Amino acid sequence: MKINLLYVNLLILFCILDLTAQKKYYVKLDAVGSKSGLNWSNAFTSLDSALKISSTNDTIWIANGVYLPTMKSGG
């Protein structure tokens, strides 16, 4: 019974750690806050900004509008 409880606790811990590693960024053309991308009030105003800072498993939420990335691939 103690072993099963240990496994359950470890599973919960790994799930929590995995969720905290993922970040959510916001993009909104008319955002006027700090442009940190951390919420709608402080959203990035360009898609490029979010694409540059995000990494695998992060999500980018984009408000209504037309956003065209201008990043050029390296090579």
Side-chain angles (χ1 to χ4, degrees):
M1 183 67 165
K2 287 184 179 183
I3 292 176
N4 287 341
L5 186 58
L6 175 64
Y7 287 129
V8 169
N9 287 333
L10 285 174
L11 179 62
I12 292 170
L13 177 63
F14 288 133
C15 289
I16 291 170
L17 290 175
D18 188 45
L19 290 176
T20 59
Q22 300 172 2
K23 295 180 182 157
K24 187 184 301 180
Y25 297 103
Y26 298 83
V27 179
K28 186 177 179 187
L29 286 173
D30 59 354
V32 293
S34 68
K35 296 179 180 47
S36 63
L38 299 178
N39 53 47
W40 286 121
S41 299
N42 298 300
F44 292 123
T45 54
S46 75
L47 181 56
D48 284 341
S49 297
L51 290 172
K52 287 177 187 175
I53 199 169
S54 64
S55 57
T56 304
N57 295 326
D58 288 348
T59 57
I60 299 173
W61 286 34
I62 303 172
N64 287 336
V66 176
Y67 300 86
L68 301 172
T70 58
M71 290 177 38
K72 296 179 181 172
S73 59

